[in-house]
Amino acid sequence: MTILQEIKTLLEIDDISSDGVSENIFDEQLIKYINSGIRYLINNSVPITPINDSSDSGEWEKVADHYEIIRDYLHLHVLQRFDRTLVIGGVNNTSNTTMNWIESEKTDLLYQLKCFFDLGDTNEV
């Protein structure tokens, strides 16, 4: 399964819309969101590379033992931007609570990754 497909599965997005139209344009937008999160991780010393629609986790050999953490981080990063109810606000301000939870989870996941990859001069990227 590709990284894109795994993120789409976590976001509960189908490949084909109900009217049978492929979501290729949407995939391009989603890849841009994913790569934005990847750039943030790269800037924090996680040795991964941007993806395209056919990239799979096997391309990230240096992080194989931590792939699930990276995938979970990217899922939350994309969810923040993808879910418009979070961006524009929801009933009774519940979106603020959700956004705070997402930020907290992303921070925790980033700290876990930094324990393995942000090792100063000893880091081999």
Side-chain angles (χ1 to χ4, degrees):
M1 182 180 294
T2 67
I3 295 169
L4 174 63
Q5 199 59 41
E6 287 188 50
I7 299 293
K8 286 173 76 171
T9 299
L10 290 171
L11 292 170
E12 300 177 5
I13 300 170
D14 297 325
D15 280 333
I16 305 295
S17 65
S18 59
D19 57 1
V21 177
S22 176
E23 296 179 348
N24 291 333
I25 296 172
F26 177 75
D27 285 356
E28 290 177 24
Q29 181 183 19
L30 194 55
I31 288 170
K32 288 179 182 180
Y33 285 147
I34 293 169
N35 283 332
S36 168
I38 288 171
R39 287 282 174 210
Y40 188 80
L41 293 175
I42 290 169
N43 289 341
N44 280 279
S45 302
V46 179
I48 56 177
T49 56
I51 68 162
N52 59 41
D53 61 349
S54 62
S55 299
D56 66 40
S57 60
E59 297 173 23
W60 293 345
E61 293 176 19
K62 293 182 180 180
V63 298
D65 292 340
H66 312 286
Y67 176 71
E68 288 81 13
I69 298 170
I70 293 168
R71 186 201 55 215
D72 290 348
Y73 177 89
L74 293 172
H75 165 243
L76 292 173
H77 179 81
V78 171
L79 180 63
Q80 270 183 318
R81 286 145 184 84
F82 173 77
D83 190 335
R84 293 177 189 227
T85 61
L86 294 176
V87 176
I88 61 173
V91 178
N92 299 326
N93 222 10
T94 56
S95 65
N96 284 340
T97 303
T98 304
M99 288 294 274
N100 289 338
W101 177 83
I102 290 172
E103 278 301 319
S104 174
E105 286 295 305
K106 282 176 59 182
T107 299
D108 289 347
L109 293 167
L110 184 59
Y111 283 153
Q112 289 179 51
L113 292 169
K114 287 175 89 51
C115 287
F116 294 104
F117 300 112
D118 191 7
L119 305 175
D121 293 340
T122 63
N123 194 11
E124 293 182 30
V125 179

